[in-house]
Amino acid sequence: MSDSTDQASLLGAHRHNTIAVNVAGVWVGGGHPVVVQSMTNTDTADVDATVAQVAALAQAGSELVRMTVDRDESARAVPLIRDKLLAQGINVPLVGDFHYVGHKLLADHPACAEALAKFRINPGNVGFREKKDAQFSAMVELAAKLGKAVRIGVNWGSLDQELAQSLMDENALRAIPLPPAAITREALVRSALDSAARAVELGLGKDRIIISCKVSEAPALIAVYRDLAKRSDYALHLGLTEAGMGDKGVVASTAALAVLLSEGIGDTIRVSLTPEPGGLREREVRVAQDILQSLHLRSFAPQVTACPGCGRTTSTLFQELAQDVESYVRERMPTWRETHVGVEEMKLAVMGCIVNGPGESKFCDIGISLPGTGETPSAPVFQDGEKVATLKGNDLAGQFKAMIETYVASHYAPKDAS
């Protein structure tokens, strides 16, 4: 079986000791597993479209789903969305993303406030000048009254300009001024921590507060969150904002989040990918899961190890088999999760030739080593380090998948027996 638990304990040994926050049954921080969240990009006022996307995100594994609440029509839709999801048996906590007029929408639409598990408040645009504290206070006091969690979400694209200017003015008086980038990072951290302190003054418990300071560059994000982790014990939400599209977005998010998570910093994450035309929103959930699983912090689905191919593997057979097995495992995982304990930690291998194939397959729970170009047309299969079969013929995929099913049934306890 997998040793991911041991490796996770090694990575998490110095985890930032944050205060646990209960978001409608999902625990964030306090040593609980890192939570994966996502955000819809439908018009929230379009109830059916939003329900469909939330359902898809939840099915993909998103444990919190955030929605834009930007006008009356959106606020009126929120309880309808919640009710339709519950009717489908989907109880994922919903988060309302508020900017500029959140205080008014929550006051005018109490059913919206009740239906949400968490409010996201941006200190940079919750209000300006003399209205800022009143509007911030109204949202926080309502959250405290209703027992809701709050994410105080600072973003460098909408940073509190009064605070930023004040810090710039102070910096100008230094004998040796700090670089502007350092002042911007300090403004992000100060905005989050000052707002959180104000929320506590208003009666919101620290066990209801999650904070984030999002930027769009990996080095800046790492620097900001290292600072946050040193200066507070609030639960922390990680993520690059505007990470980008496709490979760029995946790589940038992974580069930033992997560093912080490996240092024990971060309690919930989102990978903010720009969807490609026609692309699925659920991809951001799967990337977040892959980051956590690659670091052995959590297990979501069996991992398939596959070689990159070389001149010994000129056939596309092993590529097609690896793709087939990846798809099969993902399709079967929802059922396996309900029927067998621990199957998400299973490790598989689909290797292309004799050089590393048998060795890698032995390191996995179950693996197959395909013949390379010019090699004997047979494929040994290994289970728990031992060779158990040699597959031949035109249906290697079907034979191997049948063996995977047998392995799951024989190696993972049934759920009702756990």
Side-chain angles (χ1 to χ4, degrees), residues 370-414:
L370 298 183
T373 304
E375 294 174 7
T376 303
S378 61
V381 176
F382 298 83
Q383 290 184 6
D384 302 322
E386 301 293 332
K387 181 180 175 181
V388 296
T390 298
L391 304 184
K392 298 180 181 180
N394 297 323
D395 187 29
L396 292 180
Q399 296 176 63
F400 186 55
K401 287 188 286 188
M403 294 187 72
I404 294 171
E405 287 288 350
T406 301
Y407 188 91
V408 170
S410 62
H411 286 70
Y412 297 94

Side-chain angles (χ1 to χ4, degrees), residues 43 84 87 114-115 117 182 198 204 275 310 323 329-330 392:
D43 179 357
K84 286 199 170 192
E114 289 281 1
R198 177 60 178 146
L204 189 66
C310 66
Q323 184 179 49
V329 165
R330 191 170 293 280
K392 298 180 181 180

Side-chain angles (χ1 to χ4, degrees), residues 127-130 132 159-167 169:
F128 303 99
R129 298 183 180 86
E130 67 278 357
K132 178 179 178 180
L159 185 58
D160 183 334
Q161 291 304 304
E162 291 182 34
L163 174 61
Q165 188 58 56
S166 174
L167 293 176
D169 292 342

Side-chain angles (χ1 to χ4, degrees), residues 81 85 88-89 108 111 160 170 186 205 253 279 287 301 326-327 366 389:
I81 292 167
L85 289 166
Q88 296 179 28
D108 291 348
D160 183 334
E170 290 178 12
E186 175 63 15
S253 292
V287 172
E326 285 263 16
S327 299
I366 178 169

Side-chain angles (χ1 to χ4, degrees), residues 30 35 40 64 68-69 74 84 92 142 150 181 213 223 243 251 256 276 279 314 334 352-353 358 372 390 400:
V35 171
T40 60
L64 299 172
T68 296
V69 186
S74 299
K84 286 199 170 192
V92 62
L142 181 60
V150 167
C213 290
V251 171
E276 297 177 1
T314 54
C353 78
T390 298
F400 186 55

Side-chain angles (χ1 to χ4, degrees), residues 45-117:
D46 186 337
V47 173
D48 290 341
T50 304
V51 167
Q53 191 170 80
V54 173
L57 290 167
Q59 176 67 23
S62 183
E63 294 157 304
L64 299 172
V65 178
R66 183 159 49 111
M67 305 180 298
T68 296
V69 186
D70 58 347
R71 62 194 195 279
D72 291 315
E73 292 81 1
S74 299
R76 279 194 290 268
V78 168
L80 301 177
I81 292 167
R82 188 270 318 271
D83 292 345
K84 286 199 170 192
L85 289 166
L86 290 175
Q88 296 179 28
I90 300 169
N91 195 28
V92 62
L94 302 177
V95 181
D97 194 57
F98 295 100
H99 299 276
Y100 304 106
V101 293
H103 62 289
K104 185 177 186 302
L105 293 175
L106 288 170
D108 291 348
H109 301 278
C112 171
E114 289 281 1
L116 294 170

